[in-house]
Amino acid sequence: MAGSIAERFAAFTAALDYDDLPEPVVAKSKAALLFNLGVAVPSYQEETILAARRAVLEQYPAGENASATLLGHRDRVSPIGAALFNGMLGHRRAQDDTYVAVHMGSIVTPAALAAAELSECNGRELLTALVAGYEVAAAVTERYGERITERGFRPSSTIAIFGAAAAASRLLKLSEDQVRRAIGMCTSMSMGVTQCWLDGSMEWILHMGMAAQSGLLSALLARGDFPSAINGFEGERGYLNAFHGSADGASDVGNDLGREWRILDVTFKPYPIGMAAHGTVKATFGLLKEHSLNHEDVERVEIRMNPFNASYPGHASVGPFPTPVSVIISSPFCVALALVERRITLDGLQLIDDPNVMRICRNSTVVSDDRLEHLCAEVVLTMRSGEQLSGRFEPGPDDLIYGFDETLELVRGVAEDEGYPLERIEKAASAIRTIDGHERAADLTSLI
């Protein structure tokens, strides 16, 4: 496919039609929509989210342009205000969907929902836009996500912004050239660094809200014929050279869109922790299932991880932790919590001063092992008796990939963990299951 990356993404996005989508892709898009709403809205009363709501209502007050909804609250604000808030809400549990290291849904979904309320699209159009967003973002992630992360940038917000722009552009029915301008604009809007994980601060949810907002804003600007660089990705001073360090491979990006469907490989987190920590927790739960273990008998823990996972900021941290935020991606803490509590919950993630959890955490070591693939992990427990027990997690092709009914069970668990009314989840799930038959996709926001 000829042209720049932005031109290839635009050609795919503008031409994509619901009838082009294979049935498994449609099914996955519904599961992803359910998952992202189901892990987002139950956090609507959390303190940080309420602070975000106050700020958004102040800066984007109700008025003539108040056409979009703050999920969970039903406040009406401008679309870009809703995209900002809903993106932050979607990431608050840190229990996102994930492609490699990029959380797609908490950025693409808020932009798409705001555009859906603005454009009054139908359910088929919403699903098509979501798929376009996932595919565009995943095409960048596949080739460049790891290196972008290694250079200190937040991969989710610096990459999924392109998916937000694609989804919003599709719902706003932009021309191919307008889509190209919207996606090209985002090469200058990408942002986010990872120091927040080390300091235990909350910019990590702001990353998602700003990326969703910026993706939508770029589409709205493009609709008004605002220009952008054609070579914003691969140019000498473009996105790839700035964020990745080179534009190598740019000519291949996006050539297989519409033939390969990367959304099918998007995983859903079962726990509210970092994606890489899932492998270590899964390995630990395997040990607990296989052996009769008492956490008091564990003397030391060795955690072996893929080098990319082991080196991500905070993944190897053993404390002290400034706030509970820091433990979300700490594999030593998550393993210790799994050993002591035998489950992973939001309440458990508050136990940064618990003597049992912190003893095991401090006596843990993370080892970078290039023999392990992404998300694979090995946990070795040295018991007080001197015995060593080893557990390993290697995700198979279907691990962490759930169908609609399995996803519904996951989000029911989230609602229970948060004390959120289960009947609202059930209503939203029923609507999403048949959303391709709905004439007003925006009605979904009122159900949840």
Side-chain angles (χ1 to χ4, degrees):
M1 190 182 295
S4 68
I5 291 177
E7 288 173 317
R8 294 195 291 274
F9 285 167
F12 166 74
T13 299
L16 188 64
D17 187 83
Y18 179 85
D19 292 333
D20 299 328
L21 306 179
E23 190 281 327
V25 171
V26 172
K28 184 60 176 277
S29 67
K30 291 180 181 180
L33 181 57
L34 172 62
F35 181 78
N36 285 296
L37 289 175
V39 300
V41 179
S43 296
Y44 78 113
Q45 294 281 28
E46 191 273 331
E47 181 180 353
T48 307
I49 294 303
L50 292 177
R53 176 178 176 242
R54 290 191 294 272
V56 168
L57 290 175
E58 180 180 339
Q59 297 303 317
Y60 303 94
E64 291 183 5
N65 295 321
S67 59
T69 306
L70 301 189
L71 292 173
H73 296 279
R74 298 191 181 183
D75 301 307
R76 302 285 284 181
V77 298
S78 71
I80 58 172
L84 173 64
F85 175 83
N86 293 335
M88 297 171 72
L89 177 65
H91 195 42
R92 182 58 189 90
R93 277 183 66 90
Q95 194 172 342
D96 314 71
D97 65 11
T98 310
Y99 182 79
V100 188
V102 171
H103 305 310
M104 306 284 193
S106 50
I107 293 174
V108 174
T109 306
L113 288 177
E117 292 192 279
L118 184 61
S119 65
E120 297 189 349
C121 69
N122 62 40
R124 290 158 63 98
E125 290 169 325
L126 176 60
L127 295 179
T128 304
L130 289 172
V131 172
Y134 273 77
E135 295 302 321
V136 163
V140 180
T141 303
E142 185 173 69
R143 184 171 290 273
Y144 301 113
E146 185 168 328
R147 178 61 178 150
I148 285 171
T149 307
E150 290 170 349
R151 285 168 63 86
F153 299 109
R154 182 83 191 279
S156 295
S157 51
T158 55
I159 294 176
I161 183 175
F162 302 114
S169 295
R170 186 69 185 75
L171 289 170
L172 295 173
K173 297 179 172 59
L174 301 192
S175 69
E176 183 176 325
D177 186 59
Q178 288 173 322
V179 180
R180 191 275 304 163
R181 279 185 260 138
I183 291 174
M185 241 178 279
C186 289
T187 62
S188 291
M189 294 178 169
S190 294
M191 53 77 230
V193 295
T194 53
Q195 182 62 33
C196 51
W197 294 121
L198 303 180
D199 286 0
S201 55
M202 293 301 298
E203 293 92 336
W204 53 286
I205 70 166
L206 182 60
H207 292 161
M208 316 306 258
M210 290 184 68
Q213 181 186 58
S214 295
L216 175 61
L217 178 60
S218 74
L220 293 170
L221 288 168
R223 186 172 68 168
D225 294 327
F226 193 90
S228 71
I230 291 177
N231 296 303
F233 279 99
E234 58 273 89
E236 180 182 355
R237 295 289 179 174
Y239 171 89
L240 293 178
N241 279 308
F243 285 90
H244 181 260
S246 80
D248 292 348
S251 61
D252 296 328
V253 177
N255 286 326
D256 60 357
L257 288 171
R259 298 194 304 273
E260 297 291 329
W261 299 98
R262 293 172 178 84
I263 191 174
L264 296 174
D265 295 322
V266 170
T267 59
F268 299 163
K269 292 182 185 178
Y271 313 117
I273 57 177
M275 191 66 234
H278 276 73
T280 62
V281 165
K282 288 275 190 179
T284 304
F285 284 147
L287 282 168
L288 288 169
K289 184 176 181 179
E290 184 178 354
H291 303 279
S292 178
L293 290 178
N294 187 323
H295 66 83
E296 295 178 351
D297 295 329
V298 177
E299 186 170 302
R300 295 191 310 277
V301 180
E302 180 181 275
I303 303 167
R304 307 188 74 86
M305 304 174 71
N306 170 275
F308 172 67
N309 300 141
S311 64
Y312 192 90
H315 276 185
S317 178
V318 298
F321 299 105
T323 72
V325 167
S326 299
V327 306
I328 290 173
I329 57 172
S330 165
S331 282
F333 182 91
C334 291
V335 167
L337 181 62
L339 287 169
V340 174
E341 295 282 300
R342 295 177 178 259
R343 59 180 184 163
I344 301 292
T345 63
L346 286 181
D347 287 344
L349 295 171
Q350 308 302 307
L351 300 179
I352 58 175
D353 296 317
D354 182 88
N356 293 317
V357 174
M358 290 309 302
R359 178 189 69 80
I360 297 175
C361 182
R362 286 191 297 268
N363 289 317
S364 299
T365 304
V366 172
V367 176
S368 176
D369 189 337
D370 58 14
R371 297 172 301 174
L372 295 174
E373 298 294 328
H374 179 58
L375 299 184
C376 295
E378 184 175 8
V379 174
V380 181
L381 307 180
T382 299
M383 312 303 286
R384 294 191 187 279
S385 65
E387 181 184 12
Q388 285 194 329
L389 304 175
S390 178
R392 191 180 180 102
F393 175 71
E394 296 185 31
D398 297 324
D399 277 315
L400 307 179
I401 294 178
Y402 304 99
F404 193 92
D405 290 335
E406 295 168 302
T407 303
L408 179 54
E409 283 301 311
L410 256 181
V411 299
R412 283 170 177 156
V414 171
E416 183 179 358
D417 193 24
E418 297 270 14
Y420 183 77
L422 190 59
E423 62 270 18
R424 296 184 193 172
I425 296 292
E426 302 294 346
K427 287 181 180 179
S430 295
I432 293 170
R433 196 186 292 272
T434 59
I435 197 167
D436 37 6
H438 289 218
E439 288 304 312
R440 276 183 45 86
D443 291 343
L444 178 63
T445 59
S446 65
L447 294 177
I448 199 166

